[in-house]
Amino acid sequence: MSHIPSTAVSAAAALVLSLGGASAAFAAEPSPNQSAAAAQLCTDLNKLRSDTTALFGLDPASATKDQVKDAYDDVRDGWDNVSDSTAAWNAAQKDAVKSAADELKKTWEDLPDDATGADAATKLKPHAQMLDTAVKSARTGLQCPG
């Protein structure tokens, strides 16, 4: 896009850089896939906790080996579910960031050569906001410092 006036490039860059402070006012909902994956992870963690409590709650004086094996199997299966859910949740976060970044890039590339800074900023703003929200959600999920 070498024909876009430098003011359009400057305006778009300033817009993207300034969105950090404005993003809270325009925050979008997390993607449905990310929400579903996070909900599944929470469900699986709750089940794992319940199964673990049942295992350590067995009375050694009266528990049969079959009871202990069944309780252990529940914990092992629960961990497998948590592991799978974590991968799906992380993939959903990655997909949300990638999708938002791809949309921003596509919008930039689709700008006409004679676009003004105002046109560029107006078209890029919602996509930059979606990317900011996706990144913020991923950072929160990963508990990134700062």
Side-chain angles (χ1 to χ4, degrees), residues 20-21 26 29 42 44 57 61 67 72 75 81 89 94 98 118 121 141:
F26 299 102
E29 291 296 313
C42 289
D44 290 342
Q67 288 173 321
Y72 167 77
V75 170
N81 290 338
W89 183 60
K94 178 182 175 188
K98 182 181 183 322

Side-chain angles (χ1 to χ4, degrees), residues 13-26:
L15 171 71
V16 171
L17 292 174
S18 70
L19 277 177
S23 64
F26 299 102

Side-chain angles (χ1 to χ4, degrees), residues 17-98:
L17 292 174
S18 70
L19 277 177
S23 64
F26 299 102
E29 291 296 313
S31 74
N33 289 343
Q34 184 176 347
S35 296
Q40 185 61 52
L41 178 56
C42 289
T43 298
D44 290 342
L45 284 168
N46 289 338
K47 176 80 169 92
L48 178 60
R49 184 172 183 219
S50 174
D51 291 341
T52 302
T53 300
L55 176 61
F56 81 72
L58 290 174
D59 183 354
S62 62
T64 67
K65 188 170 183 180
D66 285 341
Q67 288 173 321
V68 174
K69 181 184 181 321
D70 289 346
Y72 167 77
D73 288 346
D74 288 345
V75 170
R76 184 195 63 220
D77 292 346
W79 168 248
D80 289 343
N81 290 338
V82 166
S83 180
D84 291 345
S85 294
T86 300
W89 183 60
N90 287 337
Q93 285 188 320
K94 178 182 175 188
D95 290 347
V97 172
K98 182 181 183 322

